[in-house]
Amino acid sequence: MSLASLPTAAREEVRRLLHGPCDPSFLSALHKTLSDDSWSGAGGADRPGDRLLRRLGLLGEMLPAADHVLDDPARLSTAHAWTAVTDPSLCLAALVHHTLCLGSMVRLADRPGERLKRRMEALRTGRAKGVYLVTEAGQANSHLATRTRAEFDRGTGEFVLHTPDPQAAKFGSAGTLDVPQTAVVLARLLVDGEDHGVFAFVVDLTGDDGLASGVEVSSPLRLGALPLDYVLVRFHHVRVPYADWLADGAGFGSDGAFHDPAGGGPRRLQHTLRVGQGLWATMPAVAAATARQSAVQAVGYARQRRTQSSLAPGAPLLAYRAHQRAVLGALADAFALTCAADGARAVWSASLAAASAPAGGGAEPMGFTPWAAVSRPLAAYKAVAVRLAARVTADCQSRCGFSGHLDVNRLAAYHGFHHAFDAAGGDSRLILYDIGRSLAEEAAPAGAVPRAPSVGSPHWWPATARRHQDGLTRHVSGRLRSADPGDPFGAWNPLLEDAGVLGELYANALVAEDVARVVDGIRDPDLGRALRPLAALHGVTAARRWSGSLLAHGTLRPADVRALTDHADELCDAVVPHLPLLREAFAHPEDVVGAPLAADDYDAALGATLTWTRGGAR
C-alpha cells in the first residue's frame, strides 16, 4: 500500500501526525525554500556569515511576524525540524536565533519600543544573527549562580554590563564577527549594590565595523560533532540602554524604588528562563524528523543490500532478525518521537495560553537545576527526545556500514547534533536528576495497580512504564526517608543515579502515553493497521532496553523478559507488509535531504556524486 492509495481523509491524518496543524500550502512553501538555489547559494561566493543570514531570513519568511513568532508552535517546530533534516548545524543556529534570542524579546519585554522592534524585525528578516548567552564557562551549574553583572547607573538610567573575572565568561555561538549579531545576555541585576536576581538584556555584539566597544571574544572553540562559531565572550563595562532591559514586569517606581512581581531570587530566574520552553517544545519535532529520516534510510539500505553470508547467500540484510529488530525498532522509536512532538506542542501551547504561568501546572521550587522548575514536562520531553534520537541515529548509522559514516548521507551529522544537544539547552542528565528528586519527594502511597494489556497492545508499555515508575519512586523515597534530613548532600549524593533513572522513566512514560493516545485517535482502518504494530514495537523495544531495571525491581519476571525478543519478532512481521507506506510517509523529499542513502537505488545515487581519475599507461 502506498500513501497515494489512502483516502484523502487518511492522508490528512498522516499530515497532521507528522506536522501538526500546519496547512499544505505552508509545507509546500517550506519545501520550495529548502530546495531552492537561493537556499543553497548555488553560483554564489558569499561569506559564511552572509550565507547564514540569508538562510535565517528565508526561514523567517516562513514564520509569523517578529512579535508573534511564538504564536504558532506547529509552524515554528516544523520549520526547524525540516531545517534539521537539511542541515543540523543551521537548525541549532536557527533555534537559538528564533526561540531563545527573539523569543526572549517576545516573552520578556513589557512594551517593546521602536528600538527593540527594529532589532526584532532585523532578526526575523535575517539582517542580524541572534545569540543567547547564559552559560558561564568557569563553573558547573552556572545558571544557578550567574556572575555576569548588570549594575544600574541611576545617573544615566543605563545598565553597566561587566564580566567580573575570566571564569564568568559566557559560552555561545557568537564567533561570526563579520555580520551584525544581537545577543540576549543573562546577567545579575544590581541596584545600589543590592542583588535583584537574573534578568535578560539585549546587547549588540557586532556591527558593520566588527566587535562593539567593550565586547571581547576568544579564538574559536571547535566542536566537530556540531560545528558552529563557538567562542567565549567577556564584557568590559558595556553600557546598555534602559530600553534594552527585558524587564518582564519589573521596574522602578516614581520614588526610584525597585520592584519585581516575580519576587526576585529563584523565582526571578525561573521567569527569565521560561523562554527555554519554546526550545524544549520544539526539540521533539526536530528529533522526530531526523530520526524518521535516519530510520527510512536505514530500512531502505537494508532492503537493497544483499549479503554474501554462508547462512543465506544473496539474502537482503532486512531478512535477518537481528537487523530487523534494530532498524524496524528505530522506525518504531521515530514514530514514538513523532507522537511526543505532538504532546510537547500541546503542553507549550497551554503554557503560552496561560501567559506567565509555568507550563505543566504551578511553579515548582528550584531543585538541583532551574530546568524542571521552569516546566517539568517540557524539560523531560527535551531530555528524552535528544537521547532517543541520538540512539536511533547511532543505531541506523552503525547498521549501514561504511555508508552510514559518509558525511554525504547525513547520519553522522544527525547523531552529532543530538548527542551534543544532550548537554545543551539544559543538561539532560541534570534535568532527569531533578525530576527524579521531585518525584521521590512528592511520593504518595501506592494505589491499585491496573492489569496491564497484552504485550502486543500499544497500551502495554505505558501501563508497564508507569507501574515501574511507581516502584522506583517508592524505592528512592524509601532510601531518602532513611537518610539524615539535615544533610541534603549526604542524603542525595548516593541516590543521584537512581534519581536520574526515575526521571528518565518519567520522560519515557510521557512518550509512551503519547504513542497510545495518537494511535487511539487514528480513524482510517488501513492507517491504523500500519501504525498499531509500530506503536507496540516501540514499547517492546523500550522494555528490552529497560529489562535490567524492570527485573531488578520486580516489574517484570524473568520469563516476561525472555519473551520480549519473540514479541519483537512477531511485531516486526506485522510491520514489514506496511513498510512501503511507512517509508513513503516518513521520508522527507529527496531534494531536501540530498543524501544518496535516501534514494531507491543507493549505489546509483552514490555513484552520481563521484568523479573518477584513471592513471595513464606507463
Side-chain angles (χ1 to χ4, degrees):
M1 177 178 293
S2 67
L3 193 60
S5 68
L6 290 177
T8 301
R11 294 198 299 273
E12 174 67 12
E13 283 194 274
V14 171
R15 181 181 64 77
R16 290 188 65 86
L17 169 67
L18 299 179
H19 310 299
C22 293
D23 59 71
S25 62
F26 168 74
L27 297 174
S28 177
L30 182 60
H31 180 187
K32 183 177 185 302
T33 293
L34 296 179
S35 59
D36 195 77
D37 286 347
S38 62
W39 177 265
S40 63
D46 49 7
R47 299 172 301 176
D50 293 330
R51 185 169 183 253
L52 173 62
L53 289 186
R54 185 181 68 251
R55 288 180 162 191
L56 290 173
L58 289 169
L59 276 179
E61 293 177 3
M62 298 286 100
L63 302 175
D67 56 344
H68 293 281
V69 71
L70 305 181
D71 288 2
D72 191 339
R75 181 174 289 209
L76 186 69
S77 60
T78 299
H80 287 87
W82 280 53
T83 302
V85 171
T86 303
D87 185 340
S89 293
L90 175 64
C91 175
L92 178 53
L95 284 167
V96 172
H97 182 92
H98 290 118
T99 67
L100 297 180
C101 182
L102 186 53
S104 291
M105 299 177 193
V106 171
R107 296 206 71 178
L108 302 179
D110 294 328
R111 287 179 295 277
E114 288 305 314
R115 176 183 171 88
L116 188 58
K117 287 180 179 178
R118 287 195 299 271
R119 249 93 158 261
M120 294 167 70
E121 186 60 17
L123 290 169
R124 189 192 73 83
T125 57
R127 288 182 282 115
K129 175 196 167 195
V131 177
Y132 189 72
L133 297 177
V134 54
T135 299
E136 294 179 353
Q139 58 182 338
N141 296 96
S142 65
H143 308 71
L144 294 177
T146 298
R147 296 172 62 243
T148 301
R149 303 156 62 105
E151 298 189 45
F152 183 59
D153 184 339
R154 287 191 180 273
T156 64
E158 298 172 311
F159 301 89
V160 181
L161 190 66
H162 185 63
T163 304
D165 54 63
Q167 283 68 45
K170 298 285 191 182
F171 170 80
S173 55
T176 307
L177 306 184
D178 57 350
V179 299
Q181 293 187 104
T182 297
V184 167
V185 183
L186 269 62
R188 190 167 298 280
L189 175 60
L190 300 176
V191 179
D192 301 328
E194 185 177 353
D195 179 358
H196 289 285
V198 176
F199 283 86
F201 299 84
V202 179
V203 181
D204 290 328
L205 300 180
T206 55
D208 294 334
D209 298 323
L211 281 171
S213 176
V215 177
E216 181 183 19
V217 303
S218 71
S219 55
L221 296 167
R222 308 294 182 192
L223 200 165
L226 194 55
L228 281 177
D229 56 336
Y230 302 109
V231 290
L232 298 182
V233 183
R234 299 194 293 213
F235 300 97
H236 299 278
H237 303 287
V238 174
R239 292 258 164 191
V240 180
Y242 191 92
D244 293 344
W245 174 34
L246 301 180
D248 189 32
F252 295 87
S254 58
D255 59 354
F258 178 82
H259 62 85
D260 182 4
R267 291 284 293 153
R268 163 46 49 203
L269 182 61
Q270 284 176 260
H271 272 251
T272 300
L273 289 176
R274 74 181 186 272
V275 297
Q277 294 174 2
L279 175 65
W280 300 337
T282 303
M283 278 309 300
V286 170
T290 51
R292 288 196 306 268
Q293 190 60 44
S294 299
V296 164
Q297 292 181 188
V299 170
Y301 181 86
R303 287 167 64 93
Q304 295 178 46
R305 205 70 169 175
R306 299 286 168 178
T307 66
Q308 303 308 314
S309 165
S310 59
L311 286 175
L317 275 173
L318 198 59
Y320 288 83
R321 285 296 193 190
H323 210 85
Q324 277 188 12
R325 295 178 203 127
V327 298
L328 298 186
L331 195 70
D333 285 342
F335 170 65
L337 284 167
T338 304
C339 300
D342 181 71
R345 270 196 306 269
V347 173
W348 190 34
S349 295
S351 171
L352 292 172
S356 61
E364 294 187 21
M366 194 83 76
F368 302 145
T369 72
W371 310 122
V374 171
S375 169
R376 181 190 295 181
L378 287 179
Y381 273 122
K382 177 267 173 184
V384 72
V386 298
R387 288 195 167 188
L388 186 52
R391 181 187 295 273
V392 167
T393 53
D395 287 349
C396 291
Q397 186 181 16
S398 70
R399 294 289 174 166
C400 291
F402 81 88
S403 296
H405 294 268
L406 297 178
D407 288 349
V408 71
N409 286 324
R410 301 198 185 278
L411 297 182
Y414 297 160
H415 177 248
F417 175 85
H418 293 294
H419 186 60
F421 221 99
D422 196 54
D427 189 288
S428 297
R429 180 175 287 106
L430 298 181
I431 286 171
L432 298 175
Y433 283 167
D434 221 9
I435 291 174
R437 175 201 59 80
S438 296
L439 292 171
E441 291 178 347
E442 296 164 3
V449 179
R451 181 179 178 85
S454 66
V455 179
S457 165
H459 291 272
W460 174 79
W461 176 235
T464 302
R466 285 302 184 199
R467 184 156 54 95
H468 191 44
Q469 180 184 318
D470 289 344
L472 273 175
T473 302
R474 291 194 298 273
H475 167 73
V476 178
S477 62
R479 291 190 62 188
L480 185 62
R481 283 194 300 271
S482 67
D484 179 2
D487 180 12
F489 179 75
W492 276 110
N493 194 31
L495 294 179
L496 284 178
E497 189 171 340
D498 285 343
V501 172
L502 177 55
E504 190 160 11
L505 186 59
Y506 164 86
N508 275 265
L510 280 181
V511 176
E513 289 165 350
D514 286 332
V515 171
R517 172 183 53 79
V518 168
V519 169
D520 284 349
I522 297 296
R523 297 182 179 181
D524 182 81
D526 290 331
L527 185 59
R529 279 189 287 274
L531 293 180
R532 275 191 292 274
L534 197 64
L537 181 58
H538 163 71
V540 170
T541 302
R544 294 179 73 207
R545 285 198 290 265
W546 281 88
S547 58
S549 181
L550 291 164
L551 277 174
H553 293 276
T555 306
L556 293 183
R557 300 166 302 173
D560 298 327
V561 172
R562 284 195 297 271
L564 288 175
T565 300
D566 289 339
H567 288 305
D569 291 343
E570 291 167 4
L571 290 167
C572 285
D573 288 341
V575 167
V576 166
H578 303 288
L579 282 179
L581 169 62
L582 294 171
R583 289 184 62 220
E584 183 183 1
F586 286 4
H588 286 78
E590 285 190 27
D591 54 354
V592 168
V593 179
L597 203 53
D600 289 333
D601 186 339
Y602 170 60
D603 289 336
L606 181 64
T609 69
L610 304 176
T611 58
W612 295 80
T613 303
R614 178 184 295 185
R618 295 184 182 274

